[in-house]
Amino acid sequence: MPQPTSRDTPLFTVTADTLVAVDFAPRTRRDSRPKGPYRRLFALPGTRAFTAGNLIARLPMGMFSVSAVVMIAGTRGSYALAGAVTATGLAASAVVAPWIARLVDRHGQARVALPATVLAVLGSLSLLLCVRHGAPDWTLFASYAATATTPNTGGMSRARWAHLLKGDAEALHTANSFEQAADELCFMLGPVLAAFLCGTFFPEAGTLVGAVLLLTGVVLFTAQRSTEPPAGHRQAERAPLRAPGMRPLLAVCLATGAVFGSMEVVTIAFADAQGHRTAAGAVLALQAAGSCAAGLLYGAMRPAGSARTRLPWCLAAMTALMALPLLAAALTGSLLVLAGALLLAGMATAPTMVTTMTLVQRRTPAGRLNEGMTLAVTGLLGGIACGSAAGGWTVEHLSPTAGYGVPVAAAATALLVSLTVLFLFGRSNRFTDSRAPH
């Protein structure tokens, strides 16, 4: 019988009166299904590695404040002291974080983020030792303020996506949606993990594990040099804070942060008034879960229109959905119904944040992207602090139910700011996207 000269050469033979052709070429299984947006995203070389490290580093962001409050209040017997210490750390972060981000843009993520993380971890360990050994109160403030050097890992991850996906607005939208969903997931799991560690083992366990996770994650993240954006920017580049349209966006971030801060305080107070304070964490986790799911779905979609015109619609949806917890608390007084309302309310959060962060990226000069993203995060943190104060005052002087009016008012304020921006800059080139279509 004749043999084929190669595996790619078909063999022809005759059986009775039939000509038979036999193909010896190897068969490959072809998947005719198109890849989804997230599969295409993580098919890029190096993206899975830096994302894994970044998620490990980001998880402690939801652990540190809860761990510090439990640790300080449990050993010193003062929630006021614990709150003052964490507020000091928040204020220090607002000052230091943009400076760290500027250094990251100028000198590179690996060269700056790793030593900055080491300083922050040393601050956490110092706080742990000062609390455990009964050091004076001022040492707690100093130690926690040192943690302000923690780099903005979420901003650095978004900067990598912007570098890798330059010119592909659709893929960048998916990446930003994934990052926002990751934020929600970490802030959902972080407090739960911190409370479990502090309650199951010892009061300092949450801070200790958080410090180890932060350092490990940043080491793994910065080790991925192939996806790191190039360092250095021209001194002539405009500072992000002075970029056209940036300040109104930061005002939107401030008001949006007030939604988050007030919702957390008011929900804890409402659950406490119902006699279920320990369930407050699970109820708030449902809000984060709704936001996480909505963020992933939003990233798989192709939203119509520009990000500038979508932002008011997202904020209008947030304002409407934030009224659901107020109605649930006022009409039913049931914690279970409130949990469902928070799940629905959270679904407007991620699309709003994705759209806002997209606009911040567009407004920020390319060489100073991490600084611009950190300014947005600083605005959110400032809003969280203001929202917490406003929510606490309303709960104390009125009622927990009335407190749910604060996030509605904050969301409406963000909507008014965005509508003002759209009206003032709608016909001007100052707020148009000059770098990429979207």
Side-chain angles (χ1 to χ4, degrees), residues 37-49:
Y38 292 104
R39 288 182 61 190
R40 292 196 300 269
L41 197 66
F42 288 103
L44 297 174
T47 55
R48 297 184 183 184

Side-chain angles (χ1 to χ4, degrees), residues 283-369:
V283 173
L284 287 170
L286 284 176
Q287 181 187 3
S291 181
C292 181
L296 292 174
L297 180 61
Y298 189 63
M301 297 170 56
R302 295 182 180 179
S306 66
R308 180 172 58 87
T309 56
R310 287 201 309 271
L311 182 59
W313 288 104
C314 291
L315 288 169
M318 175 183 277
T319 304
L321 290 179
M322 285 299 159
L324 294 179
L326 175 61
L327 294 175
L331 298 179
T332 68
S334 168
L335 190 61
L336 185 62
V337 175
L338 176 67
L342 285 174
L343 177 67
L344 294 175
M347 292 182 178
T349 301
T352 301
M353 290 306 305
V354 170
T355 307
T356 303
M357 289 299 185
T358 297
L359 287 172
V360 169
Q361 286 182 349
R362 302 289 175 82
R363 296 296 90 218
T364 304
R368 305 181 73 166
L369 184 57

